[in-house]
Amino acid sequence: MLGFLEKYGLFYLTGGWPASEIGGFAGTLILAGVGLAVCFPLAILIGLARTSQRHAFFISATIWVYALRGIPLLMVLLWSYFLLPELTGHSFTPFTTAMAAIIVYESAFMAEIVRAGIQGLPKGQMEAARSIGLGYWQAMREVILPQALVNMIPSFVNQFVSTVKATSIVYIIGVSELTFVAQQINNVEVGNPIRTYVVLAFFYFIPCWGLSLLSRKIEHSIKARQSSAAAVR
Amino acid sequence: MASDRQGAMVELRGLEKSFGSYKVLDGISGAVNKGEVIVVCGPSGSGKSTMIRTINRLEEIDGGSIIVDSRDIHDKAYDINTLRSKIGFVFQQYNLFPHLSALQNVTLSPIKVAKMPKAEAADLAAHLLEKVGLKDKINAMPANLSGGQQQRVAIARALAQNASVMLLDEPTSALDPEMVGEVLQVIQKLAEEGMTMMVVTHEMGFASKAADVVWFMDQGRIIEKAKPEAFFNNPTHPRLQKFLSDLLH
Ligand SMILES: Nc1ncnc2c1ncn2[C@@H]1O[C@H](COP(=O)(O)OP(=O)(O)O)[C@@H](O)[C@H]1O
Ligand SMILES: [Mg+2]
């Protein structure tokens, strides 16, 4: 086992990098991390639209969210793979294609987190903000989002965890992320697939488990703070 | 007196509003003159909150019109944020911003709406917090303040808008009994200083001391408007008589 890790550890971690595009575990984390980071401002806008009184915004955002939540990531991935070059006239690396698919797909889930975070605040917060003369965007920026975003942290962490796992599917278009790398190792080490895939499982399990614990911890501390706030009242 | 249009700060003309088929406001008319304190009371569900919330457009009306400081508030050219900055609103649940300190709660509107320099806003807020008796709580977070203290910060926040009228919707109803006095005292002081106010409250002691006129609302209508002495001593409407006798028991 040690020999196996010594031989393939770095390959698991970074794929063929630096000779080729970064991949492996790092590729997986980048896909999920950068994907969600780029997604974040988008998700805020879609989430705001989901709470909007303006029908045009609300309806378009709702269609966006429900459509994406109703299909598997794999489908968005294949669309990006075949449609993106067709639509833009450029060709994209598998990594970029996968990134685009993840950003689009996750925007729906992230937007719902934003919506729930905003709607989870007492109605009186928006009313008070507007009553002192703040406009809608000012009220969002100064009053609603600073509170809502803190409450959203655990959900964002959970979404990151589920995105890390979901990215495994992008190996299908040849992105050299963690699962793809394991596949390649398995092609060489044909005698012991169990070892190869157990190590793969641990690479997914450890960060996801750690982050799940972290998210639960953050959730508890937020709850504790809120209830102490309520108790003083 | 209520028809003195020259001096009217707020004028309600035939307000109508329904939630679905339920008529909450059924022809509300009345005026709050400059410097006057109107106390509004009436049974729960009679439409008091809805009425007071239409004045800063937290609720929209289906019919009638509202004039604040000589302007029709539904005039398309009248910016809603400008309107609201002229009206201080105090909520039953305080609605302080929990992520901001007492001082920051009070400076938010001066800085963001009135574009006041930060230092000047901080001076103003410190002065107002002192006025409501919270000089030593300037940097406290809302979570660390009692209900009465939070409501006094909320009053300071509304005063910081330099509003021409204050609307208070049951400002003491959510408070523990021992904190009601400190908040009423602050409101009473504002009344004495000549602040124009509309206060929804069931604190009849406060009403008889501070109100110029008391309105009694029932089923979306104002069925009695009278000076406090007449209101309490010679109520004419049977429903008001019942309301007052219920309050005593
Ligand atoms: N947003 C709303 N939707 C439907 N009904 C409402 C809404 N707000 C208030 N109501 C109803 O309107 C009536 C008057 O409410 P309100 O103005 O809060 O009365 P009050 O403040 O005098 O207790 C109540 O019956 C209440 O249930
Ligand atoms: Mg009410």
Side-chain angles (χ1 to χ4, degrees), chain A residues 122-125 127-136 138 141-144 146-147 225 228-229 232-233, chain B residues 53 56 58 81 84-85 87 89 91 93-99 108-109 112-113 115 143-145 157 161:
Chain A
K123 198 159 91 348
Q125 288 294 306
E127 290 184 350
R130 299 305 303 271
S131 292
I132 64 172
L134 296 178
Y136 173 83
Q138 282 182 315
R141 198 177 60 231
E142 305 292 336
V143 175
I144 303 299
Q147 297 180 64
R225 215 185 46 188
S228 81
V232 176
R233 199 172 82 71
Chain B
R53 287 159 56 90
N56 74 345
L58 283 178
N81 300 322
R84 285 171 169 162
S85 69
I87 298 173
F89 200 102
F91 297 85
Q93 299 295 343
Y94 341 128
N95 294 345
L96 288 187
F97 308 129
H99 61 303
L108 189 57
S109 180
K112 297 293 170 185
V113 182
K115 310 289 180 203
N144 300 321
L145 296 174
R157 177 175 71 181
Q161 294 167 228

Side-chain angles (χ1 to χ4, degrees), chain B residues 11 48 50 81 134 191-192 198 211 230:
Chain B
E11 205 177 334
K48 305 179 299 293
T50 307
N81 300 322
L134 293 173
E192 282 158 13
M198 181 182 277

Side-chain angles (χ1 to χ4, degrees), chain B:
Chain B
M1 139 187 52
S3 60
D4 175 9
R5 297 219 164 159
Q6 243 69 46
M9 178 59 78
V10 177
E11 205 177 334
L12 313 176
R13 296 181 185 161
L15 306 189
E16 308 271 345
K17 182 177 179 71
S18 302
F19 287 117
S21 62
Y22 182 73
K23 194 135 204 186
V24 214
L25 301 182
D26 189 6
I28 298 278
S29 294
V32 188
N33 292 323
K34 286 199 175 82
E36 211 171 42
V37 177
I38 303 288
V39 162
V40 181
C41 60
S44 169
S46 57
K48 305 179 299 293
S49 295
T50 307
M51 174 186 73
I52 202 170
R53 287 159 56 90
T54 62
I55 301 172
N56 74 345
R57 297 187 65 184
L58 283 178
E59 301 281 357
E60 292 299 349
I61 49 177
D62 302 333
S65 62
I66 300 174
I67 312 293
V68 174
D69 209 1
S70 321
R71 284 197 71 174
D72 184 334
I73 66 166
H74 296 99
D75 182 349
K76 288 264 183 304
Y78 197 1
D79 176 54
I80 192 166
N81 300 322
T82 309
L83 164 74
R84 285 171 169 162
S85 69
K86 290 175 149 209
I87 298 173
F89 200 102
V90 175
F91 297 85
Q92 181 174 346
Q93 299 295 343
Y94 341 128
N95 294 345
L96 288 187
F97 308 129
H99 61 303
L100 301 179
S101 70
L103 187 84
Q104 290 168 323
N105 264 276
V106 181
T107 57
L108 189 57
S109 180
I111 292 172
K112 297 293 170 185
V113 182
K115 310 289 180 203
M116 191 183 280
K118 283 186 178 154
E120 196 181 320
D123 285 347
L124 170 68
H127 164 74
L128 290 172
L129 285 167
E130 183 173 358
K131 178 170 176 162
V132 299
L134 293 173
K135 191 179 176 181
D136 53 337
K137 298 290 183 188
I138 280 180
N139 293 313
M141 297 306 281
N144 300 321
L145 296 174
S146 72
Q149 291 169 331
Q150 289 190 55
Q151 191 61 298
R152 285 184 282 149
V153 174
I155 291 171
R157 177 175 71 181
L159 289 173
Q161 294 167 228
N162 193 21
S164 24
V165 55
M166 294 272 281
L167 307 176
L168 301 93
D169 188 6
E170 304 210 32
T172 59
S173 297
L175 297 174
D176 292 336
E178 71 270 19
M179 295 171 184
V180 169
E182 66 193 56
V183 172
L184 287 180
Q185 222 173 342
V186 167
I187 302 172
Q188 171 112 37
K189 196 162 85 182
L190 292 177
E192 282 158 13
E193 290 171 9
M195 175 63 79
T196 309
M197 289 195 280
M198 181 182 277
V199 190
V200 176
T201 182
H202 290 158
E203 295 293 335
M204 291 303 140
F206 169 80
S208 57
K209 267 185 285 179
D212 293 297
V213 186
V214 186
W215 295 0
F216 179 68
M217 251 181 107
D218 192 48
Q219 298 179 355
R221 297 184 188 170
I222 299 171
I223 60 176
E224 184 126 356
K225 276 182 199 154
K227 288 182 173 288
E229 314 86 76
F231 188 90
F232 293 113
N233 301 329
N234 309 305
T236 53
H237 204 288
R239 277 208 289 259
L240 172 56
Q241 291 164 357
K242 177 171 183 336
F243 177 78
L244 289 174
S245 81
D246 285 351
L247 268 188
L248 292 176
H249 303 115

